[in-house]
Amino acid sequence: DTAVSQTPKYLVTQMGNDKSIKCEQNLGHDTMYWYKQDSKKFLKIMFSYNNKELIINETVPNRFSPKSPDKAHLNLHINSLELGDSAVYFCASTTGGDTGELFFGEGSRLTVL
Amino acid sequence: GQNIDQPTEMTATEGAIVQINCTYQTSGFNGLFWYQQHAGEAPTFLSYNVLDGLEEKGRFSSFLSRSKGYSYLLLKELQMKDSASYLCAVTDSNYQLIWGAGTKLIIKP
């Protein structure tokens, strides 16, 4: 059983389109994240949800919007895609707390043409 | 600003020992993580240090010196499957996780 699963794994689309990436975790964790990893391999946090409340919202464009229907799901919707949005997007979850180990999904590679 | 520094790339020989260093400057400190990331895959947890000293876990050990803002990951008896990127990450005073860019480790036969 996959602990953190995201779909799709690969996404190729044109500039200006709108797309969504879905994430689900079956670990019973309270906190979920979306990270962006660009070609330089830095992991940049985008959003964090704790019990359906947004608790971190880094300086990302408002074209990106997280949606959490319940605490096991955190989806990422992106409007008006730009070339610079091409990256690997990772979903992750944790029990929280200061020693919380992150469990990552397999990543979704987005390519904007 | 907050900063995590680690070497970009290292090369080692199968069966040998390698030490990957990480230095950090953050606003506060609430723990340091090491993650392993194979190419095209997600990061996976390796270790967590919050107190000074060495934590050993099989072939992998992680060391922390809070006064020096320094950690290292020590890999012994290297295997080809250890070829991966190793990411250092620090939790700051607000419990935000700050990530380094990772060290790509290449293992040669």
Side-chain angles (χ1 to χ4, degrees):
Chain A
D1 287 342
T2 304
V4 182
S5 59
Q6 8 179 156
T7 55
K9 290 189 69 175
Y10 300 95
L11 187 55
V12 181
T13 189
Q14 300 288 328
M15 280 177 57
N17 285 349
D18 303 338
K19 290 294 178 185
S20 293
I21 307 172
K22 296 183 177 181
C23 178
E24 176 182 4
Q25 54 96 3
N26 61 8
L27 298 167
H29 288 167
D30 292 326
T31 306
M32 296 181 71
Y33 301 87
W34 274 107
Y35 280 91
K36 178 181 180 181
Q37 189 173 42
D38 59 23
S39 57
K40 295 182 179 179
K41 303 302 181 186
F42 274 105
L43 272 167
K44 296 180 182 176
I45 189 167
M46 301 180 71
F47 301 105
S48 169
Y49 257 73
N50 182 298
N51 288 326
K52 297 177 68 174
E53 290 187 39
L54 182 66
I55 59 174
I56 299 175
N57 187 345
E58 294 296 307
T59 54
V60 298
N62 57 15
R63 299 181 294 104
F64 291 79
S65 54
K67 289 182 170 53
S68 180
D70 55 60
K71 82 169 194 177
H73 295 83
L74 182 63
N75 303 325
L76 181 66
H77 189 74
I78 316 169
N79 290 326
S80 304
L81 279 158
E82 301 177 358
L83 292 177
D85 298 333
S86 295
V88 181
Y89 292 84
F90 285 103
C91 176
S93 72
T94 183
T95 54
D98 53 351
T99 61
E101 170 190 346
L102 282 171
F103 291 80
F104 285 86
E106 294 179 316
S108 297
R109 181 175 293 277
L110 171 65
T111 303
V112 182
L113 303 175
Chain B
Q2 310 211 83
N3 198 45
I4 310 279
D5 287 315
Q6 20 178 163
T8 303
E9 186 174 298
M10 298 182 71
T11 302
T13 305
E14 190 177 16
I17 299 174
V18 71
Q19 177 175 311
I20 302 174
N21 295 326
C22 170
T23 58
Y24 60 90
Q25 299 95 35
T26 56
S27 54
F29 177 85
N30 278 302
L32 184 143
F33 293 84
W34 283 97
Y35 282 79
Q36 180 190 61
Q37 185 176 23
H38 285 100
E41 297 183 10
T44 55
F45 171 83
L46 286 178
S47 67
Y48 172 75
N49 294 69
V50 66
L51 299 176
D52 290 350
L54 188 68
E55 295 277 345
E56 296 187 74
K57 190 186 292 186
R59 294 188 298 114
F60 292 7
S61 303
S62 56
F63 171 83
L64 175 67
S65 169
R66 288 171 296 170
S67 62
K68 296 181 179 178
Y70 167 70
S71 171
Y72 68 72
L73 181 69
L74 190 72
L75 292 76
K76 302 177 184 176
E77 301 170 17
L78 285 169
Q79 302 175 10
M80 297 304 292
K81 67 178 182 179
D82 297 331
S83 292
S85 287
Y86 291 86
L87 306 171
C88 175
V90 171
T91 306
D92 69 9
S93 57
N94 293 320
Y95 294 99
Q96 304 285 320
L97 197 57
I98 314 299
W99 292 85
T103 299
K104 183 178 180 181
L105 177 63
I106 299 168
I107 309 296
K108 295 186 175 179

